Amino acid sequence: MGNVLPPERALARAKALVKQGKNDAARALLIDVTRRFPKNARLRKALITFDMPKSAGRSPELAAQVRQLASLCESRQFDKAVVLGNSLLKALPGDPAVMLALAAALVEERRPHDALSLYEAIIRMAPTFARAWTGFGTALAKLERHHHAISALNQALEFSPFDTNALNSLGSSLRGLNRHQDALGCFEEVLRLEDNGAARKNYGTTLMELGRARDAEDQFTRALDLLPDSHATHRDYSLVHKYRPGDPHIAQMEDLERRKDASLDDSAQLSFALAKAYDETGETEKAFKAWSKANALRRRDIGYDEAHERNRFDTISRLFGDYALTPISFDPIPYKPVFIVGMPRSGTSLCEEILARHPKVWGAGELEEIRLAVTRAAEANDRRLSHDMVAQVRGRYLHALKEIQAPQGVVTDKMPGNFRFVGFMRLAFPEATIIHMKRDPMAVCWSLFRSYFAIRGHGYAYDLTDAADYYARYAELMALYDRLWPSEIHTTFYEQLTEDPEREVRAILDACGLEFDRACLEHTPSQRAVRTVSALQVREGIYKGSSEAWRRYERHLEPLRSRLADHGLLQTTPPTSHLPGAAPLHPAHPAMQV
């Protein structure tokens, strides 16, 4: 190769090539020189903004407002940026700079779906504009459409290989697909280019989910050096840090809390972190007050429609209350699904971790596929239970398993909220094992109250009374399923699992058709990622006593106890047997081939 131009001369040469209409040559030159000088911020920015479509003429007044829009985004005043951006788009329809800034603000304001059409419009104008592809991929990642996000972000990196925003978002989507080692590679590449707080935070989260708590704490510490006002990073740090009286991080969080410029979500995350710190330092009064504040803030932020939730349960109960389908015979499949369900914080993560230690089991983690398959099949069949609907659920779910490259054999799917869909699982996958993890309702509701859920589908968790009501509906629905399939749902009580692990693990393995393997009882954690609020707890193995942790706060929890008692949920004693022996309500009929 010839001599490589220094960065400033390369930038000038690329500009001259663009004037000559030689855009491809200009981009190739910039990529080649940036490869030699990867930390040069001007070279990287030139690639990110290369081929940005030009805006039409603007009046001086509108030009000033466009600059103001950019300034609002720069200062992270995204709510104001959305208002101004929408106003400007009416005056300057199709202006790429306005659309780009507005789309970015919408993503930050948790409206990524609204941003997609803006990014798509920019990409139609300029198909090789890397920044638009990065924004498009980031919006898709926020919507958890990770396969599509990865495709868009790879396109961005083809045009701008050193774009740290694209690499960071790509790592997040890879992590979303449980490709944690690939995700680490992306974050490490970002950090080779620049010391980036967001990348360090994501790097720490990925390490935490892999069980590497000390390494995660180091990354969160370094992220906080760069992002001292990041409430989310303070909460992440709190998850891996053990607090002692006088811990300086507590004072740092208290100082940040006294500022009044945070969003509801940021304030909630910081309050959850403070509550954990106070709890670990023995300040139970301050801890309960902080948890109460955190839950109230989160509830205000995401809302909760109790009537809508009740209607969802009632719809499923009516559907299966009138259940009269004959069993269906399906062609054999190379998988043996094991669905692990129950209330969140009931021990489902521990159950999956135990199974994942078995050499014949592949732990898929928390999959949305059953919920999506049921939703789409219901929409296609006028929400009526039918053989066609059941077959579509099966087909969609099997397609999803192939898409995530699940290996043949036993595959665990641990999504607590899928207890709602047990009836569909039983009909669509007669060869599957369904494990229902059941835990003391006081322990579950208290654990929910102490937990921040990143997804917005747990609105019931942020109020103790609502949590009790939700638990009651869950218990009623599972009782219906137990009546319909009394010998086909394996119930494991969390408390019994911690009291007599070997007996309970043997029973779980037997239900899955697996021989006993002592590795399932070992305290050495598996190397697989765990993407739940239990990510660190499951690494500690099976231990007693966690279901009694709420008793330290018993005085504060009398309303919860009273509500659970109203539902008749405090008199239940875990049975000694695992599977009732009664005959099914619906004996086998001649099978229907699909």
Side-chain angles (χ1 to χ4, degrees):
M1 292 183 64
N3 293 329
V4 176
L5 291 174
E8 294 305 318
R9 288 185 60 191
L11 288 165
R13 176 62 178 152
K15 188 175 181 180
L17 287 169
V18 168
K19 286 185 177 180
Q20 297 170 28
K22 299 178 180 179
N23 286 31
D24 290 344
R27 188 193 300 275
L29 172 64
L30 289 173
I31 290 174
D32 185 50
V33 177
T34 308
R35 193 167 281 118
R36 300 297 185 95
F37 302 96
K39 294 188 176 184
N40 187 289
R42 287 196 65 198
L43 286 170
R44 297 209 314 267
K45 183 178 179 180
L47 279 169
I48 293 167
T49 58
F50 196 89
D51 277 349
M52 179 174 178
K54 291 184 171 26
S55 300
R58 304 169 183 147
S59 69
E61 181 182 353
L62 288 174
Q65 289 185 42
V66 173
R67 289 193 296 272
Q68 183 186 1
L69 175 61
S71 177
L72 288 171
C73 289
E74 185 70 23
S75 60
R76 302 190 65 78
Q77 299 180 66
F78 297 113
D79 53 344
K80 295 178 181 178
V82 168
V83 174
L84 179 58
N86 279 319
S87 174
L88 277 171
L89 208 53
K90 295 175 183 176
L92 297 168
D95 187 295
V98 173
M99 289 195 294
L100 195 65
L102 175 57
L106 286 166
V107 171
E108 293 291 342
E109 283 291 289
R110 294 182 301 185
R111 294 170 56 186
H113 188 270
D114 295 334
L116 292 180
S117 60
L118 294 170
Y119 283 124
E120 288 170 329
I122 300 169
I123 289 168
R124 283 193 295 271
M125 292 182 200
T128 58
F129 179 33
R131 189 172 169 187
W133 282 106
T134 296
F136 186 48
T138 300
L140 289 166
K142 296 286 186 183
L143 292 165
E144 298 196 2
R145 293 168 57 182
H146 294 304
H147 290 289
H148 292 98
I150 288 170
S151 177
L153 293 163
N154 279 329
Q155 187 68 73
L157 289 166
E158 180 181 332
F159 299 132
S160 179
F162 312 97
D163 183 348
T164 54
N165 288 329
L167 286 165
N168 203 17
S169 291
L170 179 59
S172 295
S173 271
L174 290 166
R175 171 178 153 257
L177 294 177
N178 288 325
R179 293 171 57 183
H180 282 60
Q181 294 302 329
D182 293 334
L184 289 178
C186 289
F187 301 135
E188 287 163 359
E189 179 62 23
V190 173
L191 296 174
R192 276 192 289 269
L193 294 168
E194 63 185 30
D195 200 0
N196 182 298
R200 287 209 179 275
K201 178 184 183 301
N202 288 334
Y203 195 24
T205 301
T206 307
L207 291 167
M208 180 174 66
E209 291 173 354
L210 288 167
R212 294 168 57 183
R214 289 185 180 178
D215 293 337
E217 184 171 355
D218 177 62
Q219 290 302 320
F220 291 141
T221 300
R222 297 168 78 176
L224 283 172
D225 288 339
L226 298 165
L227 304 169
D229 296 341
S230 171
H231 298 67
T233 307
H234 283 286
R235 188 184 69 85
D236 287 339
Y237 176 82
S238 76
L239 296 175
V240 293
H241 184 66
K242 298 297 183 184
Y243 291 93
R244 293 178 175 83
D247 193 308
H249 186 236
I250 297 176
Q252 186 181 355
M253 289 192 290
E254 289 173 338
D255 286 343
L256 185 58
E257 184 186 36
R258 281 189 279 270
R259 291 166 46 178
K260 304 299 182 183
D261 56 349
S263 68
L264 289 172
D265 181 60
D266 281 346
S267 296
Q269 294 208 49
L270 191 67
S271 292
F272 274 111
L274 278 166
K276 178 180 182 289
Y278 294 144
D279 177 71
E280 290 182 354
T281 55
E283 298 186 83
T284 54
E285 292 298 319
K286 291 176 72 173
F288 190 81
K289 184 178 180 180
W291 270 314
S292 298
K293 178 181 178 180
N295 279 275
L297 288 165
R298 187 67 172 145
R299 175 67 170 266
R300 280 177 56 199
D301 186 32
I302 67 172
Y304 176 58
D305 189 338
E306 194 271 342
H308 174 73
E309 197 68 66
R310 183 174 62 247
N311 183 60
R312 290 206 302 173
F313 276 90
D314 290 346
T315 299
I316 296 173
S317 296
R318 284 195 299 271
L319 200 62
F320 285 95
D322 299 331
Y323 162 67
L325 284 183
T326 55
I328 307 173
S329 177
F330 296 103
D331 291 334
I333 57 175
Y335 309 109
K336 169 66 184 297
V338 175
F339 297 107
I340 304 170
V341 302
M343 280 288 290
R345 314 301 292 148
S346 64
T348 54
S349 293
L350 176 60
C351 180
E352 188 190 34
E353 180 71 10
I354 289 168
L355 282 169
R357 294 171 185 163
H358 196 285
K360 293 184 179 179
V361 173
W362 188 69
E366 293 192 335
L367 300 180
E368 294 279 357
E369 275 67 20
I370 270 290
R371 180 185 64 81
L372 295 173
V374 170
T375 300
R376 290 165 183 165
E379 290 170 352
N381 291 271
D382 296 324
R383 302 189 182 280
R384 295 178 181 175
L385 190 60
S386 65
H387 289 131
D388 284 345
M389 180 183 178
V390 171
Q392 288 170 27
V393 170
R394 183 179 176 92
R396 290 178 186 276
Y397 186 77
L398 290 176
H399 175 76
L401 288 184
K402 291 176 184 175
E403 193 172 54
I404 65 172
Q405 300 178 332
Q408 296 185 6
V410 179
V411 177
T412 62
D413 178 346
K414 182 218 76 99
M415 178 63 84
N418 280 348
F419 70 79
R420 293 173 294 163
F421 309 121
V422 163
F424 299 103
M425 296 172 187
R426 189 69 279 154
L427 293 174
F429 291 96
E431 63 275 88
T433 296
I434 300 173
I435 299 175
H436 171 207
M437 288 298 299
K438 198 168 183 179
R439 189 181 183 189
D440 175 76
M442 285 292 291
V444 168
C445 294
W446 172 236
S447 188
L448 287 171
F449 194 68
R450 295 163 57 208
S451 301
Y452 173 90
F453 295 93
I455 60 174
R456 300 170 70 83
H458 295 287
Y460 62 89
Y462 302 111
D463 179 272
L464 289 170
T465 299
D466 285 334
D469 292 346
Y470 190 92
Y471 190 104
R473 293 189 187 101
Y474 137 80
E476 290 170 4
L477 186 58
M478 288 308 302
L480 170 62
Y481 289 140
D482 280 331
R483 290 195 299 273
L484 291 173
W485 295 283
S487 61
E488 299 179 45
I489 299 170
H490 179 87
T491 299
T492 295
F493 287 88
Y494 176 82
E495 290 77 14
Q496 292 182 352
L497 176 60
T498 60
E499 288 292 331
D500 193 344
E502 182 165 339
R503 183 190 69 184
E504 298 300 316
V505 169
R506 284 182 180 275
I508 290 170
L509 293 174
D510 186 60
C512 297
L514 294 165
E515 69 280 5
F516 177 71
D517 192 297
R518 194 152 292 276
C520 296
L521 290 171
E522 296 296 329
H523 290 289
T524 303
S526 69
Q527 298 303 305
R528 55 185 290 276
V530 179
R531 297 192 63 229
T532 73
V533 293
S534 307
L536 294 176
Q537 282 180 295
V538 298
R539 311 288 179 181
E540 299 173 9
I542 303 170
Y543 61 94
K544 301 178 185 179
S546 63
S547 285
E548 299 298 311
W550 62 270
R551 294 191 182 279
R552 292 176 61 217
Y553 295 86
E554 192 165 5
R555 180 172 63 86
H556 297 285
L557 299 179
E558 185 53 40
L560 171 62
R561 176 189 281 278
S562 176
R563 191 71 163 199
L564 289 170
D566 290 344
H567 288 299
L569 290 168
L570 296 185
Q571 291 76 38
T572 302
T573 301
T576 55
S577 60
H578 298 284
L579 295 172
L585 291 180
H586 300 276
H589 295 278
M592 177 176 288
Q593 183 70 36
V594 173

PDB file of all heavy atoms in Angstrom, residues 337-364:
ATOM      1  N   PRO A 337     -39.882 -29.354  24.625  1.00  0.00           N
ATOM      2  CA  PRO A 337     -39.996 -28.099  25.381  1.00  0.00           C
ATOM      3  C   PRO A 337     -40.304 -28.352  26.853  1.00  0.00           C
ATOM      4  O   PRO A 337     -41.079 -29.249  27.201  1.00  0.00           O
ATOM      5  CB  PRO A 337     -41.164 -27.371  24.695  1.00  0.00           C
ATOM      6  CG  PRO A 337     -41.361 -28.065  23.384  1.00  0.00           C
ATOM      7  CD  PRO A 337     -40.944 -29.475  23.611  1.00  0.00           C
ATOM      8  N   VAL A 338     -39.681 -27.560  27.693  1.00  0.00           N
ATOM      9  CA  VAL A 338     -40.003 -27.543  29.115  1.00  0.00           C
ATOM     10  C   VAL A 338     -40.372 -26.097  29.454  1.00  0.00           C
ATOM     11  O   VAL A 338     -39.512 -25.210  29.449  1.00  0.00           O
ATOM     12  CB  VAL A 338     -38.823 -28.009  29.990  1.00  0.00           C
ATOM     13  CG1 VAL A 338     -39.170 -27.843  31.474  1.00  0.00           C
ATOM     14  CG2 VAL A 338     -38.472 -29.458  29.689  1.00  0.00           C
ATOM     15  N   PHE A 339     -41.649 -25.866  29.693  1.00  0.00           N
ATOM     16  CA  PHE A 339     -42.132 -24.520  30.018  1.00  0.00           C
ATOM     17  C   PHE A 339     -42.130 -24.352  31.539  1.00  0.00           C
ATOM     18  O   PHE A 339     -42.760 -25.139  32.254  1.00  0.00           O
ATOM     19  CB  PHE A 339     -43.542 -24.307  29.478  1.00  0.00           C
ATOM     20  CG  PHE A 339     -43.635 -24.381  27.977  1.00  0.00           C
ATOM     21  CD1 PHE A 339     -44.215 -25.481  27.349  1.00  0.00           C
ATOM     22  CD2 PHE A 339     -43.142 -23.355  27.181  1.00  0.00           C
ATOM     23  CE1 PHE A 339     -44.314 -25.550  25.970  1.00  0.00           C
ATOM     24  CE2 PHE A 339     -43.226 -23.420  25.797  1.00  0.00           C
ATOM     25  CZ  PHE A 339     -43.813 -24.526  25.184  1.00  0.00           C
ATOM     26  N   ILE A 340     -41.431 -23.333  32.011  1.00  0.00           N
ATOM     27  CA  ILE A 340     -41.346 -23.049  33.446  1.00  0.00           C
ATOM     28  C   ILE A 340     -42.129 -21.776  33.707  1.00  0.00           C
ATOM     29  O   ILE A 340     -41.782 -20.705  33.194  1.00  0.00           O
ATOM     30  CB  ILE A 340     -39.887 -22.886  33.896  1.00  0.00           C
ATOM     31  CG1 ILE A 340     -39.063 -24.130  33.520  1.00  0.00           C
ATOM     32  CG2 ILE A 340     -39.815 -22.646  35.398  1.00  0.00           C
ATOM     33  CD1 ILE A 340     -37.571 -23.957  33.714  1.00  0.00           C
ATOM     34  N   VAL A 341     -43.197 -21.891  34.492  1.00  0.00           N
ATOM     35  CA  VAL A 341     -44.099 -20.755  34.696  1.00  0.00           C
ATOM     36  C   VAL A 341     -44.334 -20.533  36.193  1.00  0.00           C
ATOM     37  O   VAL A 341     -43.981 -21.362  37.027  1.00  0.00           O
ATOM     38  CB  VAL A 341     -45.445 -20.976  33.978  1.00  0.00           C
ATOM     39  CG1 VAL A 341     -45.239 -21.183  32.487  1.00  0.00           C
ATOM     40  CG2 VAL A 341     -46.195 -22.168  34.578  1.00  0.00           C
ATOM     41  N   GLY A 342     -44.968 -19.425  36.492  1.00  0.00           N
ATOM     42  CA  GLY A 342     -45.297 -19.077  37.871  1.00  0.00           C
ATOM     43  C   GLY A 342     -45.327 -17.571  37.996  1.00  0.00           C
ATOM     44  O   GLY A 342     -45.143 -16.842  37.021  1.00  0.00           O
ATOM     45  N   MET A 343     -45.560 -17.079  39.177  1.00  0.00           N
ATOM     46  CA  MET A 343     -45.470 -15.639  39.410  1.00  0.00           C
ATOM     47  C   MET A 343     -44.022 -15.195  39.279  1.00  0.00           C
ATOM     48  O   MET A 343     -43.093 -15.956  39.618  1.00  0.00           O
ATOM     49  CB  MET A 343     -45.975 -15.300  40.810  1.00  0.00           C
ATOM     50  CG  MET A 343     -47.470 -15.223  40.938  1.00  0.00           C
ATOM     51  SD  MET A 343     -48.208 -13.758  40.152  1.00  0.00           S
ATOM     52  CE  MET A 343     -47.644 -12.432  41.232  1.00  0.00           C
ATOM     53  N   PRO A 344     -43.775 -13.970  38.794  1.00  0.00           N
ATOM     54  CA  PRO A 344     -42.410 -13.445  38.886  1.00  0.00           C
ATOM     55  C   PRO A 344     -41.944 -13.495  40.344  1.00  0.00           C
ATOM     56  O   PRO A 344     -42.731 -13.285  41.265  1.00  0.00           O
ATOM     57  CB  PRO A 344     -42.562 -11.997  38.402  1.00  0.00           C
ATOM     58  CG  PRO A 344     -43.781 -12.009  37.543  1.00  0.00           C
ATOM     59  CD  PRO A 344     -44.705 -13.017  38.167  1.00  0.00           C
ATOM     60  N   ARG A 345     -40.669 -13.799  40.551  1.00  0.00           N
ATOM     61  CA  ARG A 345     -40.046 -13.897  41.880  1.00  0.00           C
ATOM     62  C   ARG A 345     -40.493 -15.136  42.643  1.00  0.00           C
ATOM     63  O   ARG A 345     -40.441 -15.188  43.867  1.00  0.00           O
ATOM     64  CB  ARG A 345     -40.329 -12.644  42.730  1.00  0.00           C
ATOM     65  CG  ARG A 345     -40.142 -11.314  42.029  1.00  0.00           C
ATOM     66  CD  ARG A 345     -38.727 -11.142  41.498  1.00  0.00           C
ATOM     67  NE  ARG A 345     -37.768 -11.013  42.590  1.00  0.00           N
ATOM     68  CZ  ARG A 345     -36.504 -11.457  42.532  1.00  0.00           C
ATOM     69  NH1 ARG A 345     -36.075 -12.085  41.455  1.00  0.00           N
ATOM     70  NH2 ARG A 345     -35.690 -11.291  43.546  1.00  0.00           N
ATOM     71  N   SER A 346     -40.927 -16.162  41.907  1.00  0.00           N
ATOM     72  CA  SER A 346     -41.393 -17.394  42.561  1.00  0.00           C
ATOM     73  C   SER A 346     -40.363 -18.514  42.503  1.00  0.00           C
ATOM     74  O   SER A 346     -40.611 -19.606  43.021  1.00  0.00           O
ATOM     75  CB  SER A 346     -42.693 -17.881  41.906  1.00  0.00           C
ATOM     76  OG  SER A 346     -42.458 -18.249  40.550  1.00  0.00           O
ATOM     77  N   GLY A 347     -39.212 -18.271  41.874  1.00  0.00           N
ATOM     78  CA  GLY A 347     -38.196 -19.303  41.776  1.00  0.00           C
ATOM     79  C   GLY A 347     -38.048 -19.900  40.392  1.00  0.00           C
ATOM     80  O   GLY A 347     -37.360 -20.908  40.215  1.00  0.00           O
ATOM     81  N   THR A 348     -38.667 -19.280  39.389  1.00  0.00           N
ATOM     82  CA  THR A 348     -38.573 -19.826  38.035  1.00  0.00           C
ATOM     83  C   THR A 348     -37.138 -19.764  37.510  1.00  0.00           C
ATOM     84  O   THR A 348     -36.688 -20.679  36.814  1.00  0.00           O
ATOM     85  CB  THR A 348     -39.514 -19.076  37.077  1.00  0.00           C
ATOM     86  OG1 THR A 348     -39.248 -17.676  37.145  1.00  0.00           O
ATOM     87  CG2 THR A 348     -40.980 -19.337  37.436  1.00  0.00           C
ATOM     88  N   SER A 349     -36.414 -18.695  37.827  1.00  0.00           N
ATOM     89  CA  SER A 349     -35.016 -18.590  37.371  1.00  0.00           C
ATOM     90  C   SER A 349     -34.159 -19.672  38.009  1.00  0.00           C
ATOM     91  O   SER A 349     -33.294 -20.272  37.360  1.00  0.00           O
ATOM     92  CB  SER A 349     -34.443 -17.211  37.694  1.00  0.00           C
ATOM     93  OG  SER A 349     -35.082 -16.203  36.943  1.00  0.00           O
ATOM     94  N   LEU A 350     -34.386 -19.939  39.300  1.00  0.00           N
ATOM     95  CA  LEU A 350     -33.639 -20.998  39.981  1.00  0.00           C
ATOM     96  C   LEU A 350     -33.938 -22.345  39.354  1.00  0.00           C
ATOM     97  O   LEU A 350     -33.022 -23.152  39.121  1.00  0.00           O
ATOM     98  CB  LEU A 350     -34.007 -21.012  41.466  1.00  0.00           C
ATOM     99  CG  LEU A 350     -33.368 -22.128  42.304  1.00  0.00           C
ATOM    100  CD1 LEU A 350     -31.854 -22.036  42.268  1.00  0.00           C
ATOM    101  CD2 LEU A 350     -33.886 -22.071  43.740  1.00  0.00           C
ATOM    102  N   CYS A 351     -35.203 -22.597  39.045  1.00  0.00           N
ATOM    103  CA  CYS A 351     -35.579 -23.867  38.416  1.00  0.00           C
ATOM    104  C   CYS A 351     -34.874 -24.033  37.076  1.00  0.00           C
ATOM    105  O   CYS A 351     -34.336 -25.108  36.772  1.00  0.00           O
ATOM    106  CB  CYS A 351     -37.092 -23.923  38.246  1.00  0.00           C
ATOM    107  SG  CYS A 351     -37.674 -25.461  37.481  1.00  0.00           S
ATOM    108  N   GLU A 352     -34.866 -22.973  36.272  1.00  0.00           N
ATOM    109  CA  GLU A 352     -34.202 -23.087  34.982  1.00  0.00           C
ATOM    110  C   GLU A 352     -32.702 -23.273  35.143  1.00  0.00           C
ATOM    111  O   GLU A 352     -32.079 -24.047  34.416  1.00  0.00           O
ATOM    112  CB  GLU A 352     -34.474 -21.864  34.106  1.00  0.00           C
ATOM    113  CG  GLU A 352     -33.941 -22.094  32.692  1.00  0.00           C
ATOM    114  CD  GLU A 352     -33.960 -20.847  31.835  1.00  0.00           C
ATOM    115  OE1 GLU A 352     -33.755 -19.750  32.347  1.00  0.00           O
ATOM    116  OE2 GLU A 352     -34.152 -20.999  30.613  1.00  0.00           O
ATOM    117  N   GLU A 353     -32.102 -22.576  36.099  1.00  0.00           N
ATOM    118  CA  GLU A 353     -30.665 -22.722  36.318  1.00  0.00           C
ATOM    119  C   GLU A 353     -30.320 -24.151  36.725  1.00  0.00           C
ATOM    120  O   GLU A 353     -29.323 -24.719  36.276  1.00  0.00           O
ATOM    121  CB  GLU A 353     -30.204 -21.731  37.391  1.00  0.00           C
ATOM    122  CG  GLU A 353     -28.717 -21.790  37.697  1.00  0.00           C
ATOM    123  CD  GLU A 353     -27.837 -21.252  36.586  1.00  0.00           C
ATOM    124  OE1 GLU A 353     -28.376 -20.654  35.630  1.00  0.00           O
ATOM    125  OE2 GLU A 353     -26.610 -21.440  36.674  1.00  0.00           O
ATOM    126  N   ILE A 354     -31.155 -24.764  37.552  1.00  0.00           N
ATOM    127  CA  ILE A 354     -30.944 -26.161  37.955  1.00  0.00           C
ATOM    128  C   ILE A 354     -30.992 -27.069  36.735  1.00  0.00           C
ATOM    129  O   ILE A 354     -30.128 -27.931  36.529  1.00  0.00           O
ATOM    130  CB  ILE A 354     -32.007 -26.581  38.991  1.00  0.00           C
ATOM    131  CG1 ILE A 354     -31.729 -25.883  40.332  1.00  0.00           C
ATOM    132  CG2 ILE A 354     -32.042 -28.087  39.163  1.00  0.00           C
ATOM    133  CD1 ILE A 354     -32.879 -25.998  41.316  1.00  0.00           C
ATOM    134  N   LEU A 355     -32.015 -26.884  35.903  1.00  0.00           N
ATOM    135  CA  LEU A 355     -32.155 -27.719  34.710  1.00  0.00           C
ATOM    136  C   LEU A 355     -31.026 -27.473  33.716  1.00  0.00           C
ATOM    137  O   LEU A 355     -30.538 -28.406  33.061  1.00  0.00           O
ATOM    138  CB  LEU A 355     -33.510 -27.470  34.050  1.00  0.00           C
ATOM    139  CG  LEU A 355     -34.708 -28.143  34.712  1.00  0.00           C
ATOM    140  CD1 LEU A 355     -36.008 -27.602  34.141  1.00  0.00           C
ATOM    141  CD2 LEU A 355     -34.645 -29.659  34.528  1.00  0.00           C
ATOM    142  N   ALA A 356     -30.599 -26.215  33.591  1.00  0.00           N
ATOM    143  CA  ALA A 356     -29.568 -25.879  32.601  1.00  0.00           C
ATOM    144  C   ALA A 356     -28.227 -26.513  32.931  1.00  0.00           C
ATOM    145  O   ALA A 356     -27.367 -26.627  32.049  1.00  0.00           O
ATOM    146  CB  ALA A 356     -29.427 -24.361  32.497  1.00  0.00           C
ATOM    147  N   ARG A 357     -28.030 -26.926  34.176  1.00  0.00           N
ATOM    148  CA  ARG A 357     -26.787 -27.609  34.546  1.00  0.00           C
ATOM    149  C   ARG A 357     -26.761 -29.046  34.062  1.00  0.00           C
ATOM    150  O   ARG A 357     -25.715 -29.695  34.082  1.00  0.00           O
ATOM    151  CB  ARG A 357     -26.607 -27.569  36.066  1.00  0.00           C
ATOM    152  CG  ARG A 357     -26.384 -26.176  36.622  1.00  0.00           C
ATOM    153  CD  ARG A 357     -26.435 -26.181  38.136  1.00  0.00           C
ATOM    154  NE  ARG A 357     -26.342 -24.822  38.676  1.00  0.00           N
ATOM    155  CZ  ARG A 357     -26.673 -24.494  39.912  1.00  0.00           C
ATOM    156  NH1 ARG A 357     -27.126 -25.415  40.735  1.00  0.00           N
ATOM    157  NH2 ARG A 357     -26.559 -23.251  40.327  1.00  0.00           N
ATOM    158  N   HIS A 358     -27.922 -29.556  33.638  1.00  0.00           N
ATOM    159  CA  HIS A 358     -27.997 -30.937  33.141  1.00  0.00           C
ATOM    160  C   HIS A 358     -27.396 -30.999  31.736  1.00  0.00           C
ATOM    161  O   HIS A 358     -27.676 -30.136  30.895  1.00  0.00           O
ATOM    162  CB  HIS A 358     -29.453 -31.402  33.115  1.00  0.00           C
ATOM    163  CG  HIS A 358     -29.610 -32.884  32.989  1.00  0.00           C
ATOM    164  ND1 HIS A 358     -29.400 -33.554  31.800  1.00  0.00           N
ATOM    165  CD2 HIS A 358     -29.941 -33.833  33.908  1.00  0.00           C
ATOM    166  CE1 HIS A 358     -29.618 -34.843  31.985  1.00  0.00           C
ATOM    167  NE2 HIS A 358     -29.936 -35.039  33.265  1.00  0.00           N
ATOM    168  N   PRO A 359     -26.571 -32.003  31.450  1.00  0.00           N
ATOM    169  CA  PRO A 359     -25.897 -32.056  30.142  1.00  0.00           C
ATOM    170  C   PRO A 359     -26.842 -32.214  28.957  1.00  0.00           C
ATOM    171  O   PRO A 359     -26.448 -31.928  27.822  1.00  0.00           O
ATOM    172  CB  PRO A 359     -24.961 -33.268  30.273  1.00  0.00           C
ATOM    173  CG  PRO A 359     -25.537 -34.099  31.385  1.00  0.00           C
ATOM    174  CD  PRO A 359     -26.153 -33.124  32.336  1.00  0.00           C
ATOM    175  N   LYS A 360     -28.069 -32.622  29.200  1.00  0.00           N
ATOM    176  CA  LYS A 360     -29.003 -32.838  28.085  1.00  0.00           C
ATOM    177  C   LYS A 360     -30.030 -31.708  27.955  1.00  0.00           C
ATOM    178  O   LYS A 360     -31.022 -31.857  27.242  1.00  0.00           O
ATOM    179  CB  LYS A 360     -29.720 -34.175  28.259  1.00  0.00           C
ATOM    180  CG  LYS A 360     -28.807 -35.386  28.129  1.00  0.00           C
ATOM    181  CD  LYS A 360     -29.594 -36.681  28.218  1.00  0.00           C
ATOM    182  CE  LYS A 360     -28.671 -37.890  28.069  1.00  0.00           C
ATOM    183  NZ  LYS A 360     -29.420 -39.162  28.187  1.00  0.00           N
ATOM    184  N   VAL A 361     -29.761 -30.590  28.607  1.00  0.00           N
ATOM    185  CA  VAL A 361     -30.733 -29.477  28.606  1.00  0.00           C
ATOM    186  C   VAL A 361     -30.080 -28.221  28.044  1.00  0.00           C
ATOM    187  O   VAL A 361     -28.933 -27.905  28.366  1.00  0.00           O
ATOM    188  CB  VAL A 361     -31.258 -29.203  30.036  1.00  0.00           C
ATOM    189  CG1 VAL A 361     -32.135 -27.954  30.055  1.00  0.00           C
ATOM    190  CG2 VAL A 361     -32.035 -30.412  30.554  1.00  0.00           C
ATOM    191  N   TRP A 362     -30.846 -27.505  27.229  1.00  0.00           N
ATOM    192  CA  TRP A 362     -30.422 -26.194  26.739  1.00  0.00           C
ATOM    193  C   TRP A 362     -31.371 -25.157  27.301  1.00  0.00           C
ATOM    194  O   TRP A 362     -32.578 -25.193  27.058  1.00  0.00           O
ATOM    195  CB  TRP A 362     -30.445 -26.138  25.215  1.00  0.00           C
ATOM    196  CG  TRP A 362     -29.845 -24.881  24.641  1.00  0.00           C
ATOM    197  CD1 TRP A 362     -28.536 -24.515  24.663  1.00  0.00           C
ATOM    198  CD2 TRP A 362     -30.545 -23.824  23.962  1.00  0.00           C
ATOM    199  NE1 TRP A 362     -28.364 -23.303  24.043  1.00  0.00           N
ATOM    200  CE2 TRP A 362     -29.574 -22.852  23.596  1.00  0.00           C
ATOM    201  CE3 TRP A 362     -31.872 -23.605  23.620  1.00  0.00           C
ATOM    202  CZ2 TRP A 362     -29.912 -21.690  22.919  1.00  0.00           C
ATOM    203  CZ3 TRP A 362     -32.214 -22.441  22.941  1.00  0.00           C
ATOM    204  CH2 TRP A 362     -31.235 -21.500  22.589  1.00  0.00           C
ATOM    205  N   GLY A 363     -30.837 -24.230  28.089  1.00  0.00           N
ATOM    206  CA  GLY A 363     -31.673 -23.184  28.681  1.00  0.00           C
ATOM    207  C   GLY A 363     -31.813 -22.001  27.743  1.00  0.00           C
ATOM    208  O   GLY A 363     -30.839 -21.309  27.462  1.00  0.00           O
ATOM    209  N   ALA A 364     -33.029 -21.766  27.260  1.00  0.00           N
ATOM    210  CA  ALA A 364     -33.261 -20.688  26.290  1.00  0.00           C
ATOM    211  C   ALA A 364     -33.518 -19.351  26.965  1.00  0.00           C
ATOM    212  O   ALA A 364     -33.550 -18.322  26.297  1.00  0.00           O
ATOM    213  CB  ALA A 364     -34.433 -21.046  25.379  1.00  0.00           C
TER     214      ALA A 364
END
